[in-house]
Amino acid sequence: MDNKKKFLLILVALSVLLYLWLTAAITGGDPWIAALVCWVSSPILFLCLAYFFETSSTGSGRGASFGSAFKSVFSLKKQALSFIIGDILLLPAAAWLAADKWSQATDRSGLTWSWWVLSLLLGGIAGAAFHYLLDKPGYTNRGYASNLDSPTKLFHDFVSYPVLFGGLLYAFIPLVGATWINGHTIPIVLLIAGWAALGKKVDGDRAGTLVPWGHPAFDWNELSVPQH
């Protein structure tokens, strides 16, 4: 099995573990842990992968230091705002609110095992669709096909998406039935809608000049960015 396939298997296992942690935190009514899992599932591990895999001593990829990797990952000018604002602020806030509301809910009948599995699968499908149907054509047409294989790109699409999308879906739909009458879910809807708008409209308009969003080309045989 080649290195990329091994990495993808690790990502699948990691996504299941983080999804389990997030759904347990939200439905268990622990807002700060829910927000923490969101940060681990996207910006924190994203930055770690960017530093350990996508930097080099020659400055290729994301530069040669942790500082250069940090600036690349969190650049407001060059990074997707659905990541900078959405993954770092909006989605953790939605998870925080969902956990807070679940701590008050008494009807937990919607939290079934089958819904838990289905939500995880739907999160995985959303990530795969984002990777192959939305991003792949744009990357390929602009000559960045190899950048789709960067560790951070694979991590975002096959861990962050399944965990955040699937986890919030699992917690949110039953929450509507449990607390909708009190209007508790409206702020969560607005936060998720804001994240979706950033990705669809704002980042969609910026994609023409900013693809590949800092993701460097990556050589899975050498486990490094190509040297220039």
Side-chain angles (χ1 to χ4, degrees):
M1 184 182 297
D2 62 36
N3 290 329
K4 181 184 173 183
K5 290 180 180 177
K6 292 177 181 177
F7 184 71
L8 286 172
L9 286 177
I10 293 172
L11 293 185
V12 170
L14 181 61
S15 67
V16 174
L17 291 174
L18 289 171
Y19 174 80
L20 174 62
W21 190 15
L22 178 60
T23 53
I26 293 177
T27 59
D30 198 331
W32 288 111
I33 296 298
L36 173 63
V37 181
C38 289
W39 289 321
V40 170
S41 301
S42 187
I44 293 176
L45 288 180
F46 190 109
L47 176 61
C48 291
L49 290 172
Y51 174 61
F52 287 110
F53 287 98
E54 298 176 1
T55 58
S56 70
S57 59
T58 62
S60 297
R62 295 187 186 271
S65 66
F66 179 82
S68 64
F70 186 94
K71 290 178 181 178
S72 173
V73 170
F74 299 114
S75 170
L76 286 171
K77 292 183 178 180
K78 298 181 180 180
Q79 185 58 270
L81 294 184
S82 57
F83 171 77
I84 295 289
I85 299 176
D87 286 22
I88 298 175
L89 297 175
L90 301 184
L91 295 186
W96 195 100
L97 285 173
D100 183 59
K101 300 315 173 188
W102 268 116
S103 70
Q104 305 168 31
T106 56
D107 180 6
R108 308 179 72 83
S109 59
L111 300 175
T112 64
W113 170 247
S114 59
W115 175 238
W116 188 90
V117 174
L118 179 59
S119 296
L120 176 58
L121 291 175
L122 290 174
I125 291 171
F130 182 79
H131 186 88
Y132 292 109
L133 299 181
L134 294 180
D135 272 6
K136 186 174 182 179
Y139 276 64
T140 302
N141 293 339
R142 293 177 175 85
Y144 294 111
S146 61
N147 299 59
L148 281 166
D149 285 341
S150 74
T152 50
K153 179 60 177 167
L154 294 175
F155 169 80
H156 180 266
D157 296 351
F158 297 112
V159 175
S160 299
Y161 246 96
V163 174
L164 299 179
F165 183 92
L168 286 170
L169 181 67
Y170 169 76
F172 179 73
I173 298 302
L175 187 65
V176 173
T179 66
W180 179 260
I181 191 171
N182 295 318
H184 288 163
T185 55
I186 294 175
I188 301 173
V189 171
L190 294 176
L191 287 167
I192 295 175
W195 166 75
L198 285 173
K200 178 65 176 178
K201 176 58 180 173
V202 180
D203 289 337
D205 291 343
R206 301 166 75 225
T209 56
L210 294 181
V211 167
W213 304 108
H215 300 292
F218 194 78
D219 186 338
W220 280 100
N221 291 320
E222 299 296 329
L223 293 177
S224 64
V225 294
Q227 305 300 305
H228 298 297

